[in-house]
Amino acid sequence: MNIIKKSLYQIKRPWKAYKEKAPMAAFITGRLITMLVLLFLLGFSLFGLMELAPGDIVDQMMSQQIMSSMDGSSSSGKMSESGKASDKDNIFNQKQVEQLRAEFGLDKPFYVQYFKWLNRVILHHDLGTSLISRAPVSFLIRSRIWNSVLLNLISLVFITLFSFFLGVYFSSKAGTNVDTAVTFFALFFHAFPGLLLLILAQLFAAVTGIFPVTAYPDFSFADAPMRFTFSYTHHIFLPLLVSFVGGVGGTMRMIRATMLDQMGMPYIFALRARGISEKRVYLNHAFRNTLNPYITGSANLLASLFSGSLVLEIIFAYPGIGRLMYEAVMQQDINLVLANSMFISALVLIGMIVSDILLALVDPRIRYGKE
């Protein structure tokens, strides 16, 4: 016990000195260590959950092979007398299943599979190979991730700009009929099921023909960059509008409530008593204090956008990381599922670290590392 305490003290002493010398750097280092621990536990849990799921990818491959062979034999009329596979075929299939499981490493416990995968990622920077397409997982993610990042960044920018504009503006109109109506519709669309809203949007596109029913052009950017830009804007407008309507309501109400709370603070009355114009009171003083709750919740907003884009990408056939994740889960492609989950989780955790840093820069009252 004394040895353990002594070891902990030897670790804690240089860390405390580093924390006092560079509090922000120590905070970032601590959050990065926490992020790595969380990612490790997430990967371990994912491997365990995939192990608990009934069947695996080899069972699906063998079932598809058996069904295709049965369809082929029935169509050609070559059926066995008993209508069943022979014992020799059953033995062959069982050996083939065992051979495939050994090839994919599925014959070992899930924790052994996880540590082998972790060792390959850390030492060789290799995310593995997709068990279905046999393509490198890094290539599959790289080909889809930028589509999802672009979609969610556009949503985040528009939600942020309009939320601040509407929240600040309608906080000055609090209690009026217009403010009541806008607050009602913001609450309505915020509570409206996003899945149903996406389905209604696609039905609108199919009936009217104004917008495409898919959210991505049928040609690449390299073929015609300018034409692709206009076509992409046309394709993405409707699903982007649904994402915007669903996200702007809650953020706008939060900013409006924060502005109203700030306008009742004593320093606002002091500023007005000094003859400061109402425009400066709103924009230079009260508005700055609305940044704190938004920055704190921006990482959660980004996470909700990524999780919501999963449904959007499936319904509108958008080639993003969410759709890739869905296909990997349905096919039980463990390498692709794990890499997708870890990548999205890392993005969300990095967003939280960035939001904490921005919060310290915006609010001078926050000083990490100070007692």
Side-chain angles (χ1 to χ4, degrees), residues 176-319:
T176 63
N177 293 332
V178 176
D179 174 64
T180 303
V182 170
T183 304
F184 170 79
F185 281 108
L187 184 61
F188 173 79
F189 283 110
H190 181 63
F192 199 87
L195 175 61
L196 181 58
L197 197 60
L198 286 169
I199 294 175
L200 291 176
Q202 192 175 57
L203 287 175
F204 172 79
V207 172
T208 62
I210 300 175
F211 297 99
V213 294
T214 59
Y216 202 81
D218 55 357
F219 59 96
S220 64
F221 179 81
D223 296 337
M226 188 62 66
R227 180 167 165 257
F228 178 86
T229 302
F230 285 103
S231 179
Y232 179 82
T233 304
H234 185 216
H235 280 75
I236 205 64
F237 179 81
L238 200 60
L240 195 64
L241 179 64
V242 173
S243 177
F244 168 77
V245 169
V248 73
T251 310
M252 187 207 74
R253 292 178 67 248
M254 180 266 294
I255 293 173
R256 175 185 173 276
T258 307
M259 281 293 295
L260 290 176
D261 181 64
Q262 291 297 318
M263 295 306 294
M265 300 293 285
Y267 77 93
I268 296 294
F269 294 103
L271 291 171
R272 285 171 173 168
R274 292 171 54 190
I276 305 297
S277 64
E278 198 69 13
K279 182 179 179 181
R280 288 187 59 189
V281 169
Y282 260 87
L283 300 180
N284 292 6
H285 299 279
F287 173 73
R288 183 175 181 180
N289 290 326
T290 63
L291 297 175
N292 291 18
Y294 174 76
I295 291 174
T296 303
S298 60
N300 294 329
L301 177 62
L302 185 62
S304 64
L305 287 175
F306 265 102
S307 60
S309 67
L310 168 65
V311 182
L312 186 152
E313 292 173 7
I314 294 173
I315 293 178
F316 280 90
Y318 186 81

Side-chain angles (χ1 to χ4, degrees), residues 16-85:
K16 188 176 181 180
Y18 175 61
K19 190 175 180 181
E20 291 176 353
K21 184 179 180 180
M24 179 59 74
F27 168 77
I28 297 173
T29 304
R31 291 302 298 267
L32 289 175
I33 295 173
T34 304
M35 182 183 72
L36 294 176
V37 173
L38 290 174
L39 289 176
F40 172 81
L41 295 176
L42 174 66
F44 190 84
S45 303
L46 284 174
F47 262 91
L49 290 175
M50 293 295 287
E51 180 75 13
L52 293 175
D56 54 25
I57 189 173
V58 176
D59 292 331
Q60 291 188 8
M61 293 171 64
M62 295 304 298
S63 298
Q64 293 175 1
Q65 183 180 356
I66 293 173
M67 291 298 295
S68 62
S69 63
M70 290 178 62
D71 293 340
S73 61
S74 61
S75 61
S76 61
K78 296 178 180 179
M79 295 290 292
S80 61
E81 296 180 357
S82 61
K84 298 181 181 179

